[in-house]
Amino acid sequence: MGKALEGVKILDMTHVQSGPTCTQLLAWFGADVIKVERPGVGDATRGQLRDIPDVDSLYFTMLNHNKRSVTLNTKADKGKEIFVKLIKECDVMVENFAPGALDRMGFSWERIQEINPRMIYASIKGFGPGEFEDCKVYENVAQCAGGSASTTGMRDGVPIVTGAQIGDSGTGLHLALGIVTALFHREKSGRGQRVECAMQDGVLNLCRVKLRDQQRLQHGPLKEYSQHGEGIPFGDATPRAGNDSGGGQPGRILKCKGWETDPDAYTYFITQAAVWKNVCDVIGKPEWKEHADYAKPEARLTRLNEIFGVIEDWTMTKTKFEVMEICNPLNIPVGPILSMKEIAADRSLRKTGTVVEVDHPERGPYLSVGNPIKLSDSPADVERSPLLGEHTDEILRDVLGMNEDEIVAAKAEGAV
Ligand code: COA
């Protein structure tokens, strides 16, 4: 049996991170992803954050697996001609250029529909229609404008951006779902459609619980926030909640054995109400099980600093993995703070293909993150990213049916 998206051709005009994340996922599901890059230049990330001179960066290689690369100058006449043929041949076109760039090339949505009415045209922009629609947007801008930064960090500190690329990779994920949904729709309608995802919207979708809290604030304090227990009044906007757990069950990051020298010797610890008695036993406070000040979740809310202080006295006597081993069988939710070094060596992640070693002809072996979405009938084998223009001839010949003379002529004109 073939891969889930086998037979689907993607015209991949994406660059940097958000768009490439989306098309990489589609490639892992079996789509033929044809990445169009400017001749001699390519995706800017090929040359960004390079660790080895003159070799495609890890930034690029880790976002462009399983794709084919064709170079094409879509602003030159001959290049446009070839581009039109590609639009006719492909099912989906994906782009994350700055607003208006594709229109300026002469390929508006109306024109694309004219060329291929079955085309699904998917794009990522920083903002949706409105005041900021013309802005160029990068990851941290989206995190700030989408409500993540204002709700991340310590209550009395500055807003913080998170290391998880929720603006770029997060929006790429949203777009991939939109594309697959549009493909499903096309089965019934016979028509393509436009799919749009704004990074601000993608981030906000991931910050949904914070807009929930914004509305709850109108009806009283957010009792599960540590600041409530500390007697600090709320303002009129959802505050930064430090490491509080968002789900109403108090949680904190606590030191573990070795924290003095290891910056990642910490555990997340949740005092879930249903297992409170187990928590009391583990930390050596059996008397708290029935004590009026500690037995009920409501009573504990004003004592969380004291309670987590006692729990931390216990976690500091254990490694983060020992905490996990002791708490897991008791259903106490805990999680070790894993460093990237530990994740890179994690045997389970290697086994499932979530962390994979990939070989590259110019850089040699490197580690990457494989497909985190596992389909039992459509396994995602990770193949290295293409070199710039590696498949130009093959695509012009096999996908577009151009003969050798036509290919030579296109090259002579600088179109590919
Ligand atoms: N042939 C000819 N020209 C090409 C081309 C090709 N194959 N591929 C790209 N170009 C041109 C574009 O048409 C554009 O030209 P124009 O400005 O004359 O219209 C130019 O290259 C640069 O494109 P642009 O998207 O403006 O790149 P940038 O480096 O200036 O901006 C971003 C980068 C990411 C800020 C911007 O693309 C953007 O805001 N994208 C949407 C949001 C997004 O995805 N952000 C996150 C990225 S991780």
Side-chain angles (χ1 to χ4, degrees):
M1 193 188 280
K3 298 262 174 77
L5 293 183
E6 206 171 285
V8 175
K9 280 200 187 63
I10 313 275
L11 181 49
D12 181 8
M13 304 289 290
T14 67
H15 66 156
V16 204
Q17 184 180 169
S18 64
T21 302
C22 165
T23 51
Q24 177 168 258
L25 275 170
L26 302 174
W28 280 332
F29 291 138
D32 179 9
V33 176
I34 299 170
K35 184 169 174 103
V36 175
E37 298 182 82
R38 225 177 330 173
V41 182
D43 187 327
T45 58
R46 285 186 186 269
Q48 283 172 2
L49 306 176
R50 270 193 174 140
D51 53 334
I52 304 174
D54 303 324
V55 168
D56 283 340
S57 69
L58 287 167
Y59 194 4
F60 177 83
T61 55
M62 291 177 72
L63 287 162
N64 289 284
H65 293 115
N66 298 57
K67 304 180 185 178
R68 300 200 277 173
S69 165
V70 58
T71 50
L72 187 65
N73 182 353
T74 51
K75 284 183 174 162
D77 289 344
K78 186 72 190 168
K80 282 185 196 210
E81 223 177 86
I82 294 172
F83 193 48
V84 168
K85 288 186 186 163
L86 277 169
I87 295 175
K88 279 187 185 151
E89 286 302 321
C90 291
D91 300 278
V92 180
M93 175 164 160
V94 193
E95 61 93 14
N96 66 307
F97 289 131
L102 218 67
D103 289 354
R104 286 194 289 279
M105 267 181 216
F107 293 94
S108 62
W109 169 221
E110 291 71 28
R111 172 94 180 100
I112 292 165
Q113 276 175 297
E114 254 170 47
I115 301 168
N116 179 359
R118 284 177 60 80
M119 175 62 87
I120 288 155
Y121 170 36
S123 48
I124 291 177
K125 300 290 165 238
F127 293 94
E131 218 182 327
F132 303 121
E133 64 187 354
D134 293 328
C135 298
K136 289 192 176 186
V137 168
Y138 290 98
E139 172 68 44
N140 288 349
V141 175
Q143 287 196 24
C144 293
S148 177
S150 68
T151 53
T152 303
M154 293 303 174
R155 183 187 47 76
D156 49 1
V158 297
I160 296 281
V161 292
T162 162
Q165 304 287 282
I166 57 177
D168 280 339
S169 288
T171 310
L173 269 164
H174 282 89
L175 192 73
L177 177 60
I179 290 169
V180 176
T181 306
L183 279 167
F184 189 66
H185 199 182
R186 194 179 74 173
E187 290 296 302
K188 291 175 269 182
S189 70
R191 283 188 298 117
Q193 62 185 299
R194 189 157 188 184
V195 182
E196 293 174 284
C197 270
M199 293 167 73
Q200 181 186 37
D201 302 17
V203 170
L204 176 58
N205 186 34
L206 300 176
C207 290
R208 181 172 293 262
V209 297
K210 300 297 178 181
L211 186 57
R212 173 201 68 194
D213 291 349
Q214 178 64 39
Q215 296 169 86
R216 289 173 60 223
L217 256 184
Q218 289 159 20
H219 303 284
L222 305 171
K223 290 187 180 169
E224 77 284 9
Y225 280 53
S226 293
Q227 96 175 59
H228 172 65
E230 289 162 9
I232 298 163
F234 286 81
D236 58 5
T238 308
R240 293 187 265 292
N243 290 317
D244 287 348
S245 157
Q249 302 287 343
R252 296 269 176 96
I253 287 184
L254 305 176
K255 291 170 184 159
C256 292
K257 198 186 211 170
W259 67 273
E260 299 91 337
T261 51
D262 176 356
D264 298 307
Y266 290 84
T267 185
Y268 200 86
F269 197 109
I270 302 178
T271 55
Q272 192 147 27
V275 290
W276 172 244
K277 290 185 175 169
N278 292 350
V279 173
C280 296
D281 285 334
V282 160
I283 62 172
K285 284 280 183 190
E287 65 274 22
W288 279 1
K289 287 194 244 181
E290 306 301 338
H291 194 294
D293 289 347
Y294 304 94
K296 295 268 182 296
E298 193 70 18
R300 293 196 288 274
L301 287 177
T302 53
R303 296 180 174 79
L304 289 179
N305 285 350
E306 180 207 350
I307 290 168
F308 279 113
V310 173
I311 299 173
E312 192 168 55
D313 288 342
W314 176 75
T315 58
M316 280 163 66
T317 66
K318 306 276 178 276
T319 69
K320 60 191 176 187
F321 298 109
E322 287 167 347
V323 170
M324 186 105 174
E325 276 160 27
I326 295 166
C327 291
N328 254 354
L330 300 171
N331 290 328
I332 303 170
V334 292
I337 307 305
L338 294 184
S339 68
M340 276 299 153
K341 187 177 173 193
E342 288 165 323
I343 285 172
D346 188 298
R347 274 181 295 179
S348 304
L349 292 173
R350 292 287 184 112
K351 209 167 167 191
T352 58
T354 297
V355 174
V356 281
E357 192 173 289
V358 186
D359 207 5
H360 188 276
E362 292 181 340
R363 70 163 37 254
Y366 65 94
L367 278 191
S368 196
V369 184
N371 192 348
I373 305 167
K374 319 289 185 196
L375 266 61
S376 62
D377 278 353
S378 185
D381 310 309
V382 180
E383 288 164 19
R384 70 165 174 87
S385 59
L387 302 175
L388 178 60
E390 184 176 346
H391 306 96
T392 300
D393 286 27
E394 167 183 314
I395 287 163
L396 297 184
R397 195 180 51 237
D398 301 344
V399 179
L400 301 184
M402 289 170 67
N403 63 36
E404 288 309 313
D405 290 346
E406 289 169 326
I407 295 173
V408 170
K411 281 185 182 165
E413 277 188 47
V416 295

